[in-house]
Amino acid sequence: MKKKLVVLTGAGISQESGIRTFRDMGGLWEEYDITEVATPEAWERNPELVMKFYNDRRKQLYECEPNAGHLGLAELENDFDVQIITQNVDDLHERAGSSKVLHLHGELKKVRSTKYEELVYDLEGWELKFGDRCEKGYQLRPHIVWFGEMVPAMEEAVPLVEQADIFVVVGTSLNVYPAAGLLHYTRDDVPLFVVDPERPPVYLRKVTFIEEKAGRGVAILKEKLKKLC
Ligand code: APR
C-alpha cells in the first residue's frame, strides 16, 4: 500500500512554464486591480474587462508547457499515492501526467452557466464570448472562484489532507484562505516539506524547507522522499 502524499501547489509551480504569479515582482496583481477583474462585482460592473482578462490568460496557457516541477510531481506516483490540490487554474499538472488533481479555484479551460453553477463545460478554444450560453440559455462565465465566492472544493480537500501521510507545499505564498488553511488539517506526525525560493509563512512544527524554484526543488524533494517510501 503506497503512502498518501498530498501536494498543495500555487502559482509558483507554473512560473517556470511562463505563467505569471500574482504577488511576486511583476506578478499579475501588480498590473491588475483584483477588484476589477476577479470579483463577482467586477463581472457585474464591467464584464468585458473580466472576460478579456480570462481570455488573455487562457490564450497564453495554450502556449505553455508543464515544467520539471509538474513532471517531477507526476513521477512521484511511481512510489506514492499522490493527490495534487492546486490553487492554479491552469491544466499543467494534468498535462504533466498527474492523475489526481483537485482544483480549489476553478479551471481556466472550463466555463459555467451564470445561472446554474453546476452546469460546467469544457471551452472549445481560448475565447469565451458574450452570447455563448449554457444549455438553459444563460450566459457562460469563466469557471473560476472569484474573491468573495465560496470554495466548494474545500469540502473534498480537507479529508484528503487529514488522510495524508506526507504533506508538501510548492509555490504558494499561503496568502489566500481557505486554501492556505489546509496546512492545519495535517496530522501532527506528518512530515511537512515546502518548495519555494522564498520562505512562505509556515510556523507549524518542523518543516523541511527546500529554498529552490520548483524545477530544481521538486528533484531535491524526490531525493528526500525516497527515505519515506
Ligand atoms: N518555483 C517555486 N515557487 C515559486 C517560483 C518558482 N519558480 N516563483 C515564485 N514562487 C513562489 C513565490 O515565492 C510565492 O511564494 O510562488 C509563490 C507565489 O505566490 P502568489 O503569487 O501569491 O500565488 P499563490 O500563492 O498561488 O496565490 C494564491 O491567490 O490570486 C489568488 O486565486 C489566486 O490561486 C491564487 C491565490
Side-chain angles (χ1 to χ4, degrees):
M1 181 81 158
K2 290 180 183 173
K3 283 187 178 176
K4 291 182 185 309
L5 170 65
V6 175
V7 188
L8 173 65
T9 66
I13 196 166
S14 295
Q15 187 267 336
E16 288 157 278
S17 296
I19 295 183
R20 288 168 74 177
T21 59
F22 294 98
R23 296 172 184 83
D24 272 335
M25 291 286 287
L28 267 176
W29 299 147
E30 273 186 9
E31 184 183 341
Y32 291 91
D33 176 341
I34 286 176
T35 62
E36 288 181 356
V37 291
T39 64
E41 294 74 19
W43 176 252
E44 291 307 313
R45 191 173 54 242
N46 188 346
E48 293 75 12
L49 176 66
V50 175
M51 192 74 104
K52 182 175 184 323
F53 177 70
Y54 288 97
N55 281 345
D56 290 351
R57 290 174 66 198
R58 195 176 299 111
K59 186 176 184 190
Q60 191 228 358
L61 176 53
Y62 276 97
E63 287 136 36
C64 296
E65 294 295 324
N67 65 59
H70 299 105
L71 295 165
L73 292 182
E75 284 157 16
L76 280 169
E77 294 191 8
N78 298 328
D79 298 318
F80 296 94
D81 173 6
V82 183
Q83 172 69 55
I84 307 284
I85 300 176
T86 188
Q87 300 170 85
N88 299 341
V89 293
D90 63 53
D91 60 346
L92 297 178
H93 280 303
E94 291 89 340
R95 285 163 55 194
S98 286
S99 54
K100 293 198 279 187
V101 182
L102 178 61
H103 288 268
L104 293 173
H105 296 161
E107 297 179 64
L108 205 45
K109 291 187 176 178
K110 291 187 176 164
V111 290
R112 73 165 185 257
S113 170
T114 45
K115 175 90 173 168
Y116 298 96
E117 63 181 24
E118 69 279 10
L119 295 181
V120 179
Y121 307 88
D122 291 325
L123 180 66
E124 288 302 310
W126 61 271
E127 193 176 14
L128 178 60
K129 296 187 284 300
F130 291 102
D132 292 347
R133 298 182 185 287
C134 74
E135 60 208 76
K136 298 195 174 183
Y138 289 90
Q139 174 64 44
L140 292 169
R141 57 163 273 186
H143 181 49
I144 300 289
V145 176
W146 285 329
F147 286 91
E149 294 187 315
M150 297 294 287
V151 183
M154 278 299 286
E155 217 171 295
E156 188 181 342
V158 167
L160 290 171
V161 176
E162 288 172 333
Q163 292 155 32
D165 298 313
I166 305 166
F167 190 75
V168 176
V169 177
V170 182
T172 173
S173 62
L174 293 172
N175 261 293
V176 172
Y177 285 79
L182 278 173
L183 211 55
H184 300 283
Y185 287 96
T186 53
R187 297 191 315 265
D188 289 346
D189 63 323
V190 167
L192 286 178
F193 296 84
V194 175
V195 176
D196 193 316
E198 309 286 330
R199 281 195 177 214
V202 180
Y203 308 112
L204 273 181
R205 58 191 184 281
K206 188 176 157 322
V207 182
T208 304
F209 280 106
I210 300 169
E211 297 188 53
E212 297 282 350
K213 290 189 167 188
R216 184 165 149 62
V218 168
I220 296 169
L221 170 77
K222 284 175 74 177
E223 281 311 302
K224 291 179 183 293
L225 289 179
K226 276 192 177 134
K227 304 183 192 94
L228 300 176
C229 276

